[in-house]
Amino acid sequence: MRPSLCLEGSRQKGSEVIDVLCGQCHLYKDQGNDVGPILTEINRKSKESLLYEILDPKAAVDTRYINHKVALEDGNIHIGIIDSETDQSVVIKKLGGARIQVNKADIKEFISFGSSMMPEGLEANLNHQEMADLLAFLQLGI
């Protein structure tokens, strides 16, 4: 993906990449879902830093965005990040932004994956120009 750093990106086309690829978990201004880190102020980072974080999302994950698996006694399984927790319940934010509240008494297994919800290899869905477009959009600023 290094060649994408040398290409001129289209912010408009980058907006489309955000919608298709990133919007399930990330919010950028009014686009997407508030699951993972909000990307609105990410424009302060260099294109190189942004590319690295996209290519290796597990390298520097904020502990607030660690992926968890919650298996319930009834057989249902929820995977996502912990949104909130009390003595009686836990709220899981799932891919796409859905929030599920689970009573702790109903939990059979609660596992931390110790890594980001963002999958590695996401760039396999992009060519160099699309990555350049995404980077241009992310550097657009507010």
Side-chain angles (χ1 to χ4, degrees):
M1 280 293 154
R2 190 166 257 312
S4 63
L5 296 173
C6 300
L7 298 173
E8 183 74 26
S10 161
R11 291 176 175 167
Q12 176 60 40
K13 290 180 181 177
S15 175
E16 295 167 12
V17 174
I18 284 279
D19 284 340
V20 172
L21 198 61
C22 310
Q24 289 295 313
C25 292
H26 294 287
L27 189 61
Y28 188 94
K29 295 183 186 178
D30 60 350
Q31 281 183 257
N33 291 290
D34 180 13
V35 179
I38 296 173
L39 303 179
T40 303
E41 294 186 18
I42 202 164
N43 64 310
R44 297 178 179 150
K45 295 185 178 188
S46 69
K47 287 197 302 187
E48 291 82 1
S49 292
L50 292 171
L51 180 62
Y52 176 73
E53 290 178 9
I54 293 167
L55 297 179
D56 193 3
K58 293 174 175 63
V61 63
D62 184 323
T63 57
R64 294 176 292 173
Y65 302 107
I66 297 291
N67 204 15
H68 290 78
K69 172 184 169 185
V70 179
L72 304 179
E73 294 291 345
D74 66 5
N76 284 318
I77 296 174
H78 299 287
I79 296 178
I81 60 175
I82 305 303
D83 187 45
S84 63
E85 185 174 2
T86 67
D87 290 341
Q88 292 79 31
S89 66
V90 63
V91 176
I92 308 293
K93 279 198 293 189
K94 299 175 73 165
L95 180 70
R99 286 176 166 76
I100 306 295
Q101 182 171 344
V102 175
N103 291 324
K104 286 187 173 179
D106 297 332
I107 296 175
K108 179 179 179 180
E109 184 178 48
F110 190 19
I111 297 172
S112 169
F113 291 121
S115 62
S116 171
M117 179 186 270
M118 186 170 160
E120 289 185 8
L122 210 54
E123 74 279 0
N125 297 307
L126 301 175
N127 62 39
H128 292 144
Q129 184 59 58
E130 290 166 330
M131 180 62 79
D133 296 340
L134 175 60
L135 295 173
F137 180 79
L138 291 174
Q139 289 201 305
L140 175 63
I142 298 173

